[in-house]
Amino acid sequence: MTEYLRIAPRRITVSTVGDKPDAIRALAGTGVQLALSLHAPNDKLRQQIVPTGKHTSIPSILQAVEDFLEAQKAGKKRSSVMVEYIVIRGVNDQIEHAVELRRLLEGKPVWCNLIPYNPTSAGDRYGFEMPDTAQVSRFAEELRKGVAADGKPLKVRARWSTQAAQPVGGACGQLAVKVNASQEAKKR
């Protein structure tokens, strides 16, 4: 397929919530990039944020990611994994969450992309709120800390996105459609 479209596999990113670890492993050797929507540092919190999180544990997802990266490396395919983390005020934005996430990810060849939650009608039902910019900055700084047993820096590469997608209710898993009342009535 990539030959037909003339797109190099390394320019393709497959995004997943990791509900099927074997599907992650199946991508190994293809040369594609991987984006994992994690959104929480532990299974209990993840199950609250990601409905499909009930079916697969974070350790099994991260093992599949490691298997994917090892197979890519063995096949001499350059690859990376972007861990997507929507930061939601009062839900998963605390420093203890950052410490827990850093411990999960440090030493792994991944990037953590912090995405401030954009208000959407779907998130409003759960009381989700946009995080404070300063809190997201502190969260990112905490991810970047870390020292290995040998004293070398062992940190998680982290960046955080701006609210460029806010006007359209977009970002990782946050795409929203605004439907006016007359359009909704037509559906009924």
Side-chain angles (χ1 to χ4, degrees), residues 2-185:
T2 57
E3 294 163 3
Y4 175 74
L5 297 174
R6 294 188 180 164
I7 300 173
R10 70 178 181 275
R11 301 240 184 253
I12 297 172
T13 300
V14 176
S15 182
T16 180
V17 294
D19 58 331
K20 294 181 174 60
D22 286 339
I24 293 172
R25 289 182 185 94
L27 294 170
T30 62
V32 300
Q33 308 306 304
L34 183 65
L36 172 64
S37 297
L38 195 60
H39 310 309
N42 61 62
D43 287 321
K44 183 178 178 184
L45 182 56
R46 189 167 195 264
Q47 289 172 10
Q48 295 172 16
I49 299 169
V50 181
T52 57
K54 295 175 185 149
H55 306 293
T56 311
S57 70
I58 290 175
S60 66
I61 295 167
L62 293 180
Q63 182 60 57
V65 167
E66 286 184 37
D67 295 346
F68 164 81
L69 287 166
E70 283 300 313
Q72 291 284 79
K73 186 177 175 182
K76 299 190 185 330
K77 303 282 186 184
R78 287 189 307 166
S79 193
S80 63
V81 174
M82 177 72 67
V83 173
E84 307 286 3
Y85 191 99
I86 295 175
V87 184
I88 306 167
R89 180 189 300 238
V91 176
N92 66 349
D93 67 337
Q94 301 304 300
I95 294 303
E96 59 264 21
H97 297 131
V99 170
E100 197 174 355
L101 184 61
R102 177 172 38 85
R103 288 181 181 148
L104 265 180
L105 301 178
E106 64 188 358
K108 294 177 177 54
V110 300
W111 278 90
C112 188
N113 185 28
L114 302 175
I115 306 164
Y117 169 75
N118 291 317
T120 65
S121 59
D124 290 347
R125 290 192 305 247
Y126 299 101
F128 290 170
E129 294 180 14
M130 185 184 305
D132 179 65
T133 302
Q135 183 65 12
V136 178
S137 182
R138 285 189 294 273
F139 194 101
E141 285 306 311
E142 185 60 43
L143 283 178
R144 293 182 188 122
K145 291 180 182 178
V147 178
D150 62 4
K152 292 182 180 175
L154 182 64
K155 58 187 179 183
V156 174
R157 297 180 297 171
R159 69 176 193 189
W160 60 286
S161 306
T162 62
Q163 279 85 19
Q166 185 178 347
V168 295
C172 180
Q174 297 184 83
L175 294 176
V177 176
K178 294 180 181 175
V179 180
N180 66 35
S182 64
Q183 289 174 317
E184 189 62 33

